[in-house]
Amino acid sequence: MTVDVMLPYYGDVDQMKLAAQSVMSQQYQDWRLLVIDDGYPDPEPARWFSTIEDSRVSYQRNEQNLGANGNYRKALGLVESEYVVIMGADDVMLPNYLDVVVGAFEAYPAADVVQPGVQVIDEKGIACSTLVDTVKKIYAPKTRERIELKGEAMATSLVRADWAYFPSLAWRAETITRIGFTEGLDVVQDLALLLDIAAEDGSMIVDPVLAFLYRRHSASDSSVRALDGRRFDEERRFFELQADRFGTLGWKHAARAARFHTTSRLNAASVVLKSVSKGRVDSLPRLMKHIVR
């Protein structure tokens, strides 16, 4: 089976090259790589890709900057194969990545998405584990073999703590292109997509085999949004909507988890001291609102 690897790009050129090279170094050979440059102001990406003769690799540059959400939605419109990965342009596939996810889809032909094992790395490529990643590990399913999560069980687990790493996920193309990314969501767009799948009684395969390196940046967009409270405003509205939806479905456990969104509140509490230390006291009312509401 052919796997489309979509690489929406805007940022560090060297890390993007490393990401692309990791796709081209896969043990599994039936893939197609498409890089969608969102107008990064550097001619080097276009020059570098022009030197690559592999017909499975293609590069295009947007005439206008679409922003992260817009470029992700554009990427979905270019999918041709049965399975697809929307990879981060600073992340790294280990050589076994496509073997792992393809094997999972072969074992579970009806699955919608596969989460392989992930190691978090920092800006320098060194293995690390932030507070966020520690919480993800605590809440992620504990398994030594592939397991399937479905429907309410899948929704409840992910709402308690979004332990998935979006750039590492492999998707059934029909599912992700049909549901798509919700316009207007930035921080929780990946979780929204997974919960939409769960609400359709779709399924997610968790395979513990390490196959992907996810790069954690200290100054990421979500980190900046967390400091001024914008992240939590979006999360609170989102969880309120999910609680109502799950309640309508009769999913009591999922609705309760969404209503309490405990780990999201704890994350906001952890940001309070960081905001104070950086002199961002103006964000405290927004943060405290999220913690207590």
Side-chain angles (χ1 to χ4, degrees), residues 191-262:
L191 179 58
L193 180 50
L194 290 170
L195 294 182
D196 284 344
I197 290 173
E200 294 183 348
D201 205 32
S203 70
M204 179 180 193
I205 308 305
V206 178
D207 190 319
V209 175
L210 178 61
F212 196 89
L213 303 181
Y214 173 84
R215 197 179 301 275
R216 177 75 71 185
H217 293 274
S218 58
S220 66
D221 180 62
S222 59
S223 298
V224 173
R225 288 173 180 270
L227 284 178
D228 66 14
R230 284 179 292 164
R231 174 194 182 103
F232 300 111
D233 288 344
E234 180 177 313
E235 287 189 2
R236 186 171 57 257
R237 291 191 298 269
F238 175 74
F239 285 123
E240 289 171 353
L241 290 173
Q242 298 308 308
D244 290 342
R245 173 162 73 164
F246 297 146
T248 300
L249 291 172
W251 291 1
K252 295 181 181 179
H253 296 295
R256 186 181 303 114
R259 193 169 295 112
F260 283 104
H261 50 273
T262 304

Side-chain angles (χ1 to χ4, degrees), residues 168-184:
S168 72
L169 297 175
W171 308 81
R172 179 178 298 281
E174 185 280 328
T175 302
I176 190 173
T177 55
R178 174 173 48 81
I179 296 175
F181 295 107
T182 303
E183 192 168 358

Side-chain angles (χ1 to χ4, degrees), residues 4 6-8 32 34 36 69-81 84-86 166 171-182 189 193:
D4 279 352
M6 316 305 283
L7 198 69
R32 185 177 76 106
L34 176 56
I36 307 114
N69 187 284
N71 208 25
Y72 274 62
R73 285 187 281 115
K74 178 177 180 178
L76 287 187
L78 298 171
V79 173
E80 296 179 359
S81 301
V84 60
V85 179
I86 314 292
F166 176 78
W171 308 81
R172 179 178 298 281
E174 185 280 328
T175 302
I176 190 173
T177 55
R178 174 173 48 81
I179 296 175
F181 295 107
T182 303
Q189 65 174 345
L193 180 50

Side-chain angles (χ1 to χ4, degrees), residues 21-202:
Q21 288 169 333
S22 76
V23 178
M24 292 183 275
S25 299
Q26 287 297 294
Q27 296 164 352
Y28 185 87
Q29 291 291 298
D30 195 358
W31 51 262
R32 185 177 76 106
L33 172 62
L34 176 56
V35 179
I36 307 114
D37 185 338
D38 201 21
Y40 189 66
D42 191 323
E44 176 58 15
R47 186 208 64 78
W48 187 70
F49 280 106
S50 71
T51 68
I52 296 175
E53 298 180 352
D54 192 325
S55 61
R56 295 171 296 177
V57 179
S58 59
Y59 166 88
Q60 62 179 255
R61 179 182 173 87
N62 296 338
E63 293 183 3
Q64 294 183 331
N65 180 272
L66 302 178
N69 187 284
N71 208 25
Y72 274 62
R73 285 187 281 115
K74 178 177 180 178
L76 287 187
L78 298 171
V79 173
E80 296 179 359
S81 301
E82 187 176 358
Y83 299 98
V84 60
V85 179
I86 314 292
M87 187 181 175
D90 55 359
D91 300 316
V92 178
M93 286 182 177
L94 294 180
N96 65 334
Y97 173 83
L98 289 178
D99 275 330
V100 170
V101 299
V102 168
F105 277 121
E106 289 176 342
Y108 294 86
D112 296 288
V113 58
V114 174
Q115 172 66 78
V118 172
Q119 171 64 59
V120 179
I121 58 175
D122 63 15
E123 290 93 334
K124 298 180 180 179
I126 300 172
C128 66
S129 183
T130 65
L131 176 60
V132 170
D133 299 302
T134 299
V135 172
K136 280 176 174 279
K137 187 174 181 179
I138 291 171
Y139 281 89
K142 307 298 187 294
T143 179
R144 294 184 178 181
E145 57 187 22
R146 291 190 192 113
I147 60 169
E148 181 180 30
L149 295 177
K150 194 171 185 179
E152 183 177 12
M154 174 181 167
T156 303
S157 181
L158 287 165
V159 167
R160 284 175 176 160
D162 182 8
W163 41 262
Y165 287 91
F166 176 78
S168 72
L169 297 175
W171 308 81
R172 179 178 298 281
E174 185 280 328
T175 302
I176 190 173
T177 55
R178 174 173 48 81
I179 296 175
F181 295 107
T182 303
E183 192 168 358
L185 292 182
D186 295 305
V187 175
V188 296
Q189 65 174 345
D190 52 342
L191 179 58
L193 180 50
L194 290 170
L195 294 182
D196 284 344
I197 290 173
E200 294 183 348
D201 205 32

